[in-house]
Amino acid sequence: MLSEVLGGINRVQVAVVTPYFYTVEFECVLDKHLQSLPYSDTNTLQMSDRGKVLWTMSPEENIRDEIPPGAQRVAVDFLDSKTFCKNTHHIKGEALMRKRHLEILGYRVVQIPHFEWNSMELSTQDAWKEYLKRKIFKELSP
């Protein structure tokens, strides 16, 4: 669903490990105009002779590690119930420290609490997509 919001599967990376050894669930890169940037060229996708996608990429230089000037890395973090104090919406210290460390590394962190994501207000796929757009693009505007 996140790839649909950002414009393609090549615009999201899953399970990115940071220098602090945190695993970012989903990472994307937005340019200064808040447009998502691809991690790899779409023409480098390998197809077998039977029309199936080959998931291993042999040329590693096709994946972009550096980001252009003015762009920002965005970490999308889904927060489950264990991240919050019992019977409240207060985030525990470990999750706050993780967010601060990611911000030190240059990430813009978008946290999505479980009680918002699973609410009745977001009971359709269109509502989820609008929510993701609002959280990713509106919160990151200067």
Side-chain angles (χ1 to χ4, degrees):
M1 187 173 305
L2 189 58
S3 64
E4 290 178 29
V5 169
L6 295 171
I9 197 164
N10 65 333
R11 295 174 186 266
V12 179
Q13 272 193 323
V14 180
V16 177
V17 179
T18 69
Y20 287 160
F21 297 102
Y22 289 120
T23 301
V24 175
E25 294 174 28
F26 299 100
E27 179 191 271
C28 64
V29 177
L30 300 178
D31 66 8
K32 59 185 173 186
H33 305 293
L34 296 179
Q35 299 295 318
S36 61
L37 299 174
Y39 281 94
S40 62
D41 296 329
T42 54
N43 59 358
T44 61
L45 196 62
Q46 302 291 321
M47 300 291 281
S48 71
D49 55 353
R50 288 188 257 159
K52 294 190 176 185
V53 175
L54 300 175
W55 292 104
T56 58
M57 295 184 64
S58 52
E60 291 183 7
E61 63 272 2
N62 289 335
I63 296 179
R64 184 185 318 163
D65 193 29
E66 71 282 346
I67 60 173
Q72 55 190 348
R73 290 187 193 274
V74 179
V76 180
D77 209 5
F78 288 91
L79 306 176
D80 63 0
S81 60
K82 295 176 191 159
T83 310
F84 296 90
C85 296
K86 195 169 189 158
N87 298 326
T88 67
H89 291 179
H90 297 289
I91 298 176
K92 289 182 180 177
E94 183 181 351
L96 290 174
M97 183 177 63
R98 171 188 160 90
K99 180 181 180 191
R100 288 186 191 121
H101 283 170
L102 290 174
E103 289 171 346
I104 289 169
L105 291 170
Y107 283 91
R108 297 292 303 260
V109 181
V110 175
Q111 293 181 322
I112 300 177
H114 70 95
F115 51 84
E116 289 180 7
W117 186 253
N118 296 325
S119 68
M120 290 298 290
E121 189 177 324
L122 300 177
S123 59
T124 65
Q125 282 195 352
D126 291 335
W128 280 331
K129 289 177 189 175
E130 282 303 313
Y131 177 79
L132 287 173
K133 285 179 188 176
R134 189 172 62 246
K135 293 287 277 186
I136 293 171
F137 298 114
K138 298 275 195 275
E139 286 188 4
L140 298 179
S141 308

